Amino acid sequence: MIKQPGTAAVLRLRNLMESPAAPPPKDYVQYQHTDSCSLLRWTARESYEFMYARPWHEINDFYLDVVNGRQSLHQMFREENPQANDVEASDNFDKPEAESVPVKDRTGRWARATFKMLISYNGNSFDGWQKQPGLNTVQGLVERSLGKFVDEKKAQLLKEKKLPLEGCALVAGRTDKGVTALGQVCAFYTWRKDVKALDIEEALKSAAPGKIRVTSVSQVSRDFHPNFSAKWRHYFYIFPFNEEKVGDEIGECKNTYSNKAIFQDEDDEGLGVPNNGDDNYGQTQQSGSKPFTFEVSRVNHLLRQLEGKLLSFRMFARDTKASRNIGPPTECFVFHARAAEAYLPSPKKDGVCSKVMCVELVANRFLRKMVRVLVATAIREAAAGAEEDALIKLMDATCRRATAPPAPPDGLCLVDVGYTEFDKRICIIP
């Protein structure tokens, strides 16, 4: 005897048969630019391959030395910018963001103590700032170190919820995986009276020696918030070249290199190789007639058009919802935007130096991956020979494919965060 299907099963089968077919996948095409150099721009894939085919290990090693105090960003500009030496050598240089907010006397539930922590960490050693299960993040490391300083009420609450004993660290800006920070600002508050700034500093220093460094810990006002109180953020990006390192001194390197970084795709895998001055060197059907060269001075001109302007950078943002891409939430005021050639200080005995391009950006706020997209897009526009206002015109685009994919996170560094008015003296590139 064959068992007949039930009524519910018949209805489900009928609904499946009558439901419309799934729509075909969208065909995402390259954004169509309308200016004269539209055919010279790299595609998203070409831009991605060009940016990632770099010796990023050199930048990671340099940032690790900077975090541990063995190198300095200013050392890349010692020959071209003598004033940088004076700023770096002055330990008492008046940097407003380093000043503590006066502590106000409060009682009762307002009597909590807030501590401001200035830390630096190597981005290649962590999976970003934000705490995530199973990942080695900076926030997770910091909050575990602060667990011994939480008050009894919070400790009991965490115990009842069967959660680990951890503090809560507020931060000026969350950094992605691979992004280094030299002046990351955090805040931690507790109602305990016996907690001292020196105790917190010692706990953080012993958390991950060599990977995280504590510059200072100070008690500040309860009103202080590392993110909402900040008035500007200072970012630095180092873009390495694939050229062979030559010369014992910076002066010899300058005579060897021209003002152009010459590369082009070698094959479908996107391996970049030097052009060696031959215009026909390594030509493939993939690269075609597109110029895979750019001038650092051209990148500087493109970026300087952003200075002193309040613009919506929604086209340069990533990983944000469409509902948040209109209006003030996407507007940023850029105080400083420059690019310049520099040379990595080499720890090797032979004294060779590596040529790099440095991009410095200071703004009141930055959107998700905005710096990395700006760097990659500026390089792409410079290679295509776009006009100086190319980045400004991209603000009015209707699709984010008009901008290049984000540059690798290895070159990005959060230098510092300011809590008073912007001062040009904090800039590395004049």
Side-chain angles (χ1 to χ4, degrees):
M1 181 177 179
I2 301 176
K3 186 176 180 180
Q4 298 294 330
T7 305
V10 173
L11 291 176
R12 287 196 298 268
L13 181 61
R14 182 179 299 173
N15 291 334
L16 290 174
M17 295 177 63
E18 295 178 354
S19 60
K26 294 182 179 180
D27 185 15
Y28 291 103
V29 298
Q30 181 71 12
Y31 184 86
Q32 299 298 322
H33 295 270
T34 58
D35 55 355
S36 58
C37 57
S38 59
L39 299 179
L40 301 178
R41 284 186 177 87
W42 307 333
T43 64
R45 177 181 177 180
E46 291 170 340
S47 179
Y48 179 89
E49 292 174 345
F50 180 85
M51 296 298 297
Y52 275 83
R54 312 286 116 206
W56 291 108
H57 63 279
E58 297 181 359
I59 308 302
N60 290 325
D61 294 341
F62 173 70
Y63 276 146
L64 182 60
D65 290 338
V66 174
V67 169
N68 291 317
R70 296 188 292 266
Q71 298 286 357
S72 171
L73 294 178
H74 295 281
Q75 291 180 332
M76 295 188 294
F77 300 91
R78 284 190 181 275
E79 295 295 328
E80 297 182 359
N81 186 15
Q83 294 181 355
N85 297 333
D86 299 335
V87 173
E88 181 187 6
S90 177
D91 295 334
N92 298 323
F93 177 62
D94 185 18
K95 299 181 73 173
E97 66 273 16
E99 297 178 0
S100 300
V101 181
V103 180
K104 299 180 180 179
D105 295 330
R106 302 200 180 195
T107 58
R109 66 188 185 94
W110 301 101
R112 75 183 190 189
T114 302
F115 294 91
K116 172 185 174 183
M117 301 166 288
L118 190 64
I119 65 174
S120 59
Y121 49 85
N122 179 31
N124 198 39
S125 303
F126 297 94
D127 296 313
W129 166 266
Q130 187 172 6
K131 181 168 59 177
Q132 302 181 59
L135 295 181
N136 179 30
T137 64
V138 184
Q139 183 183 14
L141 179 67
V142 170
E143 292 189 346
R144 287 193 297 271
S145 303
L146 296 175
K148 64 180 71 174
F149 304 112
V150 300
D151 54 89
E152 296 180 0
K153 184 177 180 180
K154 183 174 182 178
Q156 182 63 26
L157 182 62
L158 293 174
K159 184 178 180 180
E160 293 175 356
K161 294 183 178 182
K162 298 181 179 180
L163 296 176
L165 185 62
E166 297 178 346
C168 179
L170 305 176
V171 69
R174 295 177 294 180
T175 54
D176 294 331
K177 179 180 179 180
V179 178
T180 298
L182 301 181
Q184 180 69 277
V185 181
C186 316
F188 164 74
Y189 60 85
T190 179
W191 273 267
R192 286 177 51 178
K193 301 288 187 180
D194 58 336
V195 178
K196 305 297 182 183
L198 184 60
D199 300 333
I200 297 178
E201 183 175 351
E202 293 297 330
L204 292 177
K205 284 183 177 179
S206 60
K211 298 180 181 179
I212 184 171
R213 181 184 180 190
V214 184
T215 304
S216 66
V217 178
S218 57
Q219 187 172 355
V220 296
S221 168
R222 183 186 181 277
D223 301 329
F224 174 78
H225 192 286
N227 186 16
F228 302 135
S229 301
K231 293 189 176 182
W232 50 263
R233 278 88 171 169
H234 182 191
Y235 278 93
F236 202 81
Y237 194 95
I238 303 178
F239 178 81
F241 295 144
N242 278 347
E243 296 161 310
E244 294 292 329
K245 297 178 291 185
V246 296
D248 295 330
E249 300 293 339
I250 290 180
E252 296 183 15
C253 289
K254 291 180 181 179
N255 294 330
T256 302
Y257 296 120
S258 63
N259 196 33
K260 291 186 177 181
I262 304 178
F263 303 97
Q264 58 193 41
D265 289 342
E266 183 182 31
D267 52 21
D268 290 341
E269 300 300 324
L271 300 178
V273 295
N275 187 298
N276 293 338
D278 186 358
D279 293 337
N280 297 321
Y281 182 84
Q283 289 288 348
T284 64
Q285 292 182 355
Q286 179 186 0
S287 61
S289 59
K290 294 182 180 179
F292 280 78
T293 69
F294 73 91
E295 296 183 4
V296 176
S297 58
R298 190 68 176 176
V299 176
N300 184 51
H301 290 321
L302 289 167
L303 293 174
R304 293 191 66 169
Q305 305 304 312
L306 305 177
E307 289 187 358
K309 296 181 177 68
L310 180 64
L311 301 170
S312 175
F313 286 84
R314 64 185 184 277
M315 289 297 106
F316 294 87
R318 295 295 187 271
D319 300 340
T320 56
K321 296 181 179 179
S323 59
R324 299 183 59 187
N325 294 338
I326 301 175
T330 64
E331 290 183 350
C332 307
F333 185 87
V334 178
F335 296 100
H336 184 81
R338 303 293 171 90
E341 293 181 0
Y343 299 86
L344 286 182
S346 176
K348 297 182 179 181
K349 296 181 180 180
D350 52 6
V352 295
C353 55
S354 300
K355 182 183 178 183
V356 297
M357 179 185 71
C358 297
V359 175
E360 186 176 28
L361 296 171
V362 183
N364 63 334
R365 60 195 294 265
F366 288 93
L367 308 180
R368 289 291 307 275
K369 300 184 180 180
M370 172 180 155
V371 176
R372 294 163 56 191
V373 176
L374 266 175
V375 171
T377 305
I379 292 176
R380 185 198 69 181
E381 296 300 307
E387 298 179 355
E388 291 188 354
D389 59 347
L391 298 180
I392 302 293
K393 292 180 178 178
L394 286 173
M395 305 289 178
D396 299 327
T398 58
C399 177
R400 284 180 175 173
R401 292 184 209 71
T403 55
D410 306 72
L412 185 59
C413 173
L414 173 61
V415 180
D416 51 12
V417 184
Y419 296 92
T420 57
E421 298 302 323
F422 171 70
D423 189 342
K424 279 281 187 181
R425 290 183 296 170
I426 65 104
C427 297
I428 302 175
I429 304 177

